[in-house]
Amino acid sequence: MDKECILQELQFKAVRSSGPGGQNVNKVSTKVILTFDPRHSDGLNETEKERILKKLASKLTKDAILHLQCDESRSQHKNKQLVIERLFDTLTKALKKPKARKKTKPKKSAIEKRLKSKKRTAQKKMNRGKPDLE
């Protein structure tokens, strides 16, 4: 993943943010919407593109475009920095390979302990029954 190349491909759009804020909200476009197309990115190789399209399928549009937005700060520049960080965090998480699971067997002592516990419980429940009067 080439971050500099990806930074060149990003498209930003500033819109008015919602919520409280008085005149600042009504006048200034502080909310930043980031648009990134992983299919046509030169900063990703083919395997990375496939992995991103598969892992982020729920976050992509029908055209396989990723939209992220940020309106946490009252500053447009700060929101732009935050949304870029969020993009790279999302991409690195999507590209992370899951750790392979190793098959394990329970130890003999653990099996014996479990069976003894089961027998003890079964005996306890048998003792709760009505006594045999014969």
Side-chain angles (χ1 to χ4, degrees):
M1 180 170 69
D2 184 14
K3 289 188 177 184
E4 285 78 28
C5 188
I6 291 173
L7 276 173
Q8 300 299 319
E9 298 169 348
L10 298 179
Q11 295 176 349
F12 297 97
K13 183 178 174 184
V15 294
R16 289 189 182 154
S17 186
S18 63
Q23 291 180 357
N24 191 58
V25 170
N26 298 332
K27 294 190 303 185
V28 184
S29 300
T30 57
K31 181 178 186 178
V32 176
I33 300 175
L34 176 141
T35 307
F36 175 63
D37 188 1
R39 287 185 303 172
H40 301 106
S41 175
D42 295 329
L44 302 169
N45 61 36
E46 290 303 316
T47 55
E48 289 175 337
K49 288 178 187 179
E50 289 174 17
R51 184 174 286 267
I52 286 173
L53 291 173
K54 184 179 175 186
K55 291 271 185 154
L56 301 178
S58 62
K59 295 184 178 185
L60 298 175
T61 63
K62 292 179 184 175
D63 302 327
I65 294 175
L66 179 68
H67 291 285
L68 294 174
Q69 62 186 18
C70 182
D71 60 351
E72 295 172 13
S73 174
R74 289 180 60 161
S75 164
Q76 188 183 107
H77 298 293
K78 180 72 174 168
N79 284 335
K80 189 174 178 181
Q81 289 173 349
L82 289 172
V83 79
I84 290 171
E85 288 174 18
R86 197 175 296 162
L87 170 76
F88 285 122
D89 287 344
T90 306
L91 292 179
T92 51
K93 285 179 185 175
L95 292 174
K96 196 173 191 181
K97 293 182 181 175
K99 199 174 180 181
R101 184 187 179 277
K102 295 180 185 177
K103 288 186 176 180
T104 58
K105 283 175 112 178
K107 295 181 178 143
K108 279 189 176 182
S109 61
I111 293 171
E112 289 173 10
K113 184 178 175 183
R114 182 179 61 85
L115 292 175
K116 281 182 184 178
S117 171
K118 285 180 76 167
K119 284 181 184 175
R120 200 177 317 118
T121 306
Q123 187 64 40
K124 187 191 305 180
K125 290 186 176 188
M126 278 181 57
N127 289 340
R128 290 182 188 154
K130 292 183 179 179
D132 211 10
L133 298 175
E134 293 176 17

